[in-house]
Amino acid sequence: MATIRQDDFIQSIADALQYISYYHPKDFIDAAHEAWEREESPAAKDALAQILINSRMCAEGRRPICQDTGIVTVILKIGMNVQWDAEMSVEDMVNEGVRRAYNLPDNKLRASILADPAGERKNTGDNTPAVIHMSLVPGDTVDVQVAAKGGGSEAKTKFAMLNPSDSIVDWVLEQVPKMGAGWCPPGILGIGIGGTADKAMLMAKEACMESIDIHELKARGPRNTAEELRLELFDKVNELGIGAQGLGGLTTVLDIKIRDYPTHAANKPVAMIPNCAATRHAHFVLDGSGVADLPAPKLEDWPQVAREGGGDVKRVNLDEVTTEEARSWKPGDTLLVSGTILTGRDAAHKRMTDMLSRGEELPVDLKGKFIYYVGPVDPVRDEPVGPAGPTTATRMDKFTDQMLAETGLMGMIGKAERGPEAVAAIRKHGAVYLIAVGGAAYLVSKAIRKARVVAFEDLGMEAIHEFEVEDMPVTVAVDSRGESVHEAGPREWQARIKGIPVTEA
């Protein structure tokens, strides 16, 4: 009979969360590297290179892979013979582990969890509470799975109660394009089939934590219906041509993982949850012998990947750029931007547009500026700012027309596509939208030379910062005419994959 001590359990949770903040699983590194080697789309290949370079930098520097350090999910299988040497409840111990991990001074992680989600939405300050699932099983150990799930990928979760005769393949192929690029492909699609709605969702989340093994499955062949479905969906989703970061390319998913459970004769519940390029999960077992052992991977596990800089890269000084110059940029152009940018995301945009609607003056001058959709990690040691990759731009779409019309803003930087409302506003005002690579937050932060909060300090990570950047890599996603690389890229690569002659739209 094992006795699990309170502090061993808490410290194991904390250690695991720190570990996954900067170490990708080796299966992800191998799969992403294989995708990079075979990728033929220059834009997607560069995005994959940035993801792999960022991953190695994070492993070396022990800093977060992504600025969104996630909402914590913990799945516990507690042996019925386990004894606890503890005064706290299991839930309280998990949350104390989260608190300890996210406030570690040497690698402080971003607190993203908001209480009163339908009302005040106030940050809890320590990323608690976690989402915890517990079950009692035979045995005398505690099996623990820990994940930190980014909000961008979680937002793309899909669920349907299909009719028994409906095709799961057809439903998935209908949903994946609707997910856009906000989930930061390439990654894993976790699918849960059967049970009830809540059971299907939990299975999809658990599937996201499994190791990537699709190539091994292809080599040995499927043994059941779920494995047949995995293989069919893996090929057909990649044939959509969405590609890394939605730029168009050969690899959209690195694996499809499926779990199923018996269900009612009248139902076919199907849940799909994507796991992004910042795949973060760990598994360990506590047997009463102490804190979990989480061996550091070898740096040799990371490939040496170099970005292939082309002669068409444009260097741009954002403090001097003219409207005419910005309007000359085309979708897919690679820019290295320097100068001053301001940051702002959901809460800041809501506050600014409310102020504009009341006729109040904003605390920052946005005329001729670029705004970067980001909520950075706090800096440590001599960093000007912590990891600072882009957040999903579509959440700012409803603010875009007012911001462009009333502030003189020249452009925006984020990740993923813009919706029709924002594209129309960009075209109307002759603005531009640029993207940085989601999942390369530490790499992006190295281009930020200075950072300071200039407004809305009470919003924490959502405050408005002023960044001074040097050679920050971005891609033109929507030009001043409203042409989008997220439409043209996948359209071109879907045609290429299917052997259809590519024609201009």
Side-chain angles (χ1 to χ4, degrees), residues 39-42 241 247-250 489-497:
E39 186 57 70
E40 298 173 13
S41 161
L247 295 168
L250 300 178
R491 183 172 60 239
E492 173 188 347
W493 282 91
Q494 185 178 60
R496 288 180 184 272
I497 291 166

Side-chain angles (χ1 to χ4, degrees), residues 26-39 186-188 211-222 227 230-232 234-235 238 250-257:
K26 186 176 185 302
D27 58 276
F28 175 88
I29 300 163
D30 292 342
H33 185 223
E34 188 272 338
W36 173 80
E37 288 185 315
R38 64 186 293 269
E39 186 57 70
I188 298 164
S211 296
I212 296 170
D213 65 352
I214 194 72
H215 295 302
E216 290 88 337
L217 175 57
K218 279 190 171 187
R220 70 164 168 82
E227 291 185 346
R230 282 181 63 195
L231 291 173
E232 182 178 2
F234 179 76
D235 289 337
N238 281 325
L250 300 178
T251 302
T252 302
V253 290
L254 300 173
D255 204 342
I256 304 279
K257 311 298 292 192

Side-chain angles (χ1 to χ4, degrees), residues 409-420:
L409 187 69
M410 186 182 294
M412 300 144 285
I413 306 171
K415 75 168 184 181
E417 71 285 345
R418 305 307 297 264

Side-chain angles (χ1 to χ4, degrees), residues 395-407:
R395 299 200 312 274
M396 270 53 73
D397 282 2
K398 63 183 178 181
F399 306 115
T400 300
D401 185 61
Q402 185 177 9
M403 292 290 288
L404 293 175
E406 299 183 31
T407 70

Side-chain angles (χ1 to χ4, degrees), residues 101-121:
Y102 277 72
N103 286 322
L104 187 71
D106 284 347
N107 185 38
K108 191 172 172 63
L109 306 180
R110 196 184 83 179
S112 303
I113 305 307
L114 308 181
D116 190 14
E120 192 175 349
R121 293 180 66 83

Side-chain angles (χ1 to χ4, degrees), residues 186-260:
I188 298 164
L189 293 183
I191 298 175
I193 304 169
T196 54
D198 56 318
K199 178 65 174 178
M201 282 290 188
L202 178 56
M203 289 190 295
K205 182 62 65 68
E206 289 176 313
C208 286
M209 301 183 200
E210 295 180 5
S211 296
I212 296 170
D213 65 352
I214 194 72
H215 295 302
E216 290 88 337
L217 175 57
K218 279 190 171 187
R220 70 164 168 82
R223 294 172 179 162
N224 52 47
T225 302
E227 291 185 346
E228 290 174 358
L229 195 56
R230 282 181 63 195
L231 291 173
E232 182 178 2
L233 283 171
F234 179 76
D235 289 337
K236 288 184 174 179
V237 170
N238 281 325
E239 286 171 4
L240 294 171
I242 294 167
Q245 303 292 300
L247 295 168
L250 300 178
T251 302
T252 302
V253 290
L254 300 173
D255 204 342
I256 304 279
K257 311 298 292 192
I258 296 176
R259 291 195 175 192
D260 60 18

Side-chain angles (χ1 to χ4, degrees), residues 214-377:
I214 194 72
H215 295 302
E216 290 88 337
L217 175 57
K218 279 190 171 187
R220 70 164 168 82
R223 294 172 179 162
N224 52 47
T225 302
E227 291 185 346
E228 290 174 358
L229 195 56
R230 282 181 63 195
L231 291 173
E232 182 178 2
L233 283 171
F234 179 76
D235 289 337
K236 288 184 174 179
V237 170
N238 281 325
E239 286 171 4
L240 294 171
I242 294 167
Q245 303 292 300
L247 295 168
L250 300 178
T251 302
T252 302
V253 290
L254 300 173
D255 204 342
I256 304 279
K257 311 298 292 192
I258 296 176
R259 291 195 175 192
D260 60 18
Y261 194 84
T263 193
H264 191 283
N267 302 145
K268 189 191 279 186
V270 184
M272 179 167 65
I273 302 179
N275 213 3
C276 64
T279 296
R280 291 171 298 215
H281 58 86
H283 174 231
F284 59 88
V285 177
L286 296 178
D287 60 6
S289 61
V291 176
D293 180 29
L294 298 166
K298 301 173 183 176
L299 282 178
E300 302 88 77
D301 290 342
W302 277 266
Q304 292 284 359
V305 172
R307 296 183 62 202
E308 299 174 6
D312 55 350
V313 175
K314 300 179 176 73
R315 276 191 159 81
V316 176
N317 186 331
L318 295 180
D319 294 330
E320 299 175 358
V321 67
T322 64
T323 301
E324 291 72 24
E325 182 182 354
R327 290 180 178 179
S328 73
W329 301 338
K330 301 290 191 298
D333 283 356
T334 300
L335 311 178
L336 292 174
V337 298
S338 300
T340 305
I341 56 178
L342 295 166
T343 76
R345 39 178 286 157
D346 309 65
H349 274 75
K350 178 67 166 64
R351 190 173 290 185
M352 285 191 288
T353 52
D354 285 349
M355 292 176 70
L356 291 169
S357 296
R358 294 192 298 264
E360 298 173 7
E361 185 177 348
L362 297 183
V364 291
D365 182 6
L366 295 174
K367 185 174 177 59
K369 295 289 186 182
F370 280 72
I371 195 164
Y372 182 27
Y373 302 148
V374 63
V377 176

